[in-house]
Amino acid sequence: MNESQKAPRGRSREATRAKLLGAAAEVFAEVGLGEASVERICERAGFTRGAFYSNFASKDEMFLELATVVARERVSAVRARIDELAIDCDVPDVTVIIRALDVVGDDRASTMLMNEISIHAMRDADFAAAYSAQIDEVTGEVVQLIDEITQSRGIRLRLSSVDAARIIMGVWGDISSRAAIAGLNAEAMAEQRTRELGQIVDLLLDR
């Protein structure tokens, strides 16, 4: 097989994996990991069980890869927003932090999915180790965001940027969960997150 034949097959496999992961994200968020059967995921994606097992050894392996994909997307989104806001000096200090974080999962399905991933990590030690590393990576990006903002604008925090990042991410998760439970749409969730996160960030600034 020549290189020109291998490339289309490789792209086809990547497309299949991506479609299976997308379907899994929807099903996991809807019914949880326990009820999300391979058959249900394949039906949603439009593939056979054979397609599933040619890409993943098990449902847990798929779940871990999905968590990896979500974490990488979050990191990339926050990093891109940091770069975008770095040149906007007219945005208030509190607002710029919130706007950077608002790219991270802004709908009910995303919130349900991340809660499902967290619950699974609590039950599975191997999964927990991998997921903890992802959490640290995302938190590190938020720490960098906070450091860049405080240094460029000459402002100080009441505590370390690491502690501030953990508080912000914890509050963000709690707000998103409560908004999802209340059945709020993406726009209403964003409004609530902006309001409550603004209050927290304002308390963290040493004025």
Side-chain angles (χ1 to χ4, degrees):
M1 182 185 299
N2 59 40
E3 294 300 322
S4 62
Q5 290 174 314
K6 290 180 182 179
R9 289 193 178 185
R11 287 194 293 269
S12 176
R13 181 178 177 82
E14 289 175 4
T16 299
R17 288 177 71 85
K19 196 166 184 179
L20 283 166
L21 287 170
E26 295 176 2
V27 175
F28 288 153
E30 290 170 6
V31 302
L33 178 63
E35 297 297 322
S37 65
V38 170
E39 290 79 8
R40 190 166 188 169
I41 294 169
C42 290
E43 181 180 357
R44 179 71 60 91
F47 293 120
T48 64
R49 284 173 59 91
F52 180 94
Y53 286 110
S54 67
N55 285 277
F56 304 99
S58 65
K59 193 170 62 174
D60 270 3
E61 181 184 298
M62 169 184 265
F63 201 52
L64 182 56
E65 181 164 339
L66 181 60
T68 301
V69 169
V70 171
R72 286 175 179 168
E73 288 178 348
R74 287 185 165 197
V75 169
S76 296
V78 171
R79 181 68 261 169
R81 184 57 66 90
I82 291 172
D83 294 339
E84 173 188 326
L85 295 175
I87 60 174
D88 192 349
C89 297
D90 294 328
V91 179
D93 303 321
V94 173
T95 303
V96 73
I97 296 175
I98 297 170
R99 282 175 55 184
L101 293 177
D102 265 350
V103 302
V104 184
D106 61 355
D107 57 30
R108 189 169 184 270
S110 296
T111 300
M112 292 174 66
L113 173 61
M114 294 313 299
N115 280 334
E116 186 68 28
I117 290 174
S118 296
I119 290 171
H120 188 56
M122 295 176 194
R123 294 172 175 156
D124 188 306
D126 292 335
F127 187 89
Y131 186 52
S132 293
Q134 294 170 357
I135 293 175
D136 289 343
E137 185 179 4
V138 174
T139 302
E141 288 290 332
V142 178
V143 170
Q144 184 176 350
L145 159 69
I146 293 172
D147 286 341
E148 290 178 2
I149 293 173
T150 54
Q151 291 170 14
S152 65
R153 300 183 178 227
I155 59 177
R156 295 185 301 173
L157 299 173
R158 297 178 181 274
L159 65 175
S160 73
S161 55
V162 174
D163 288 337
R166 289 173 179 160
I167 291 173
I168 291 170
M169 295 303 290
V171 172
W172 175 87
D174 174 68
I175 295 168
S176 296
S177 294
R178 286 189 286 108
I181 291 171
L184 302 182
N185 59 29
E187 182 178 355
M189 285 180 71
E191 290 178 358
Q192 180 170 329
R193 188 164 53 244
T194 297
R195 182 177 65 256
E196 296 190 27
L197 270 179
Q199 295 170 344
I200 294 299
V201 172
D202 195 51
L203 290 173
L204 295 177
L205 298 180
D206 187 9
R207 299 183 185 282

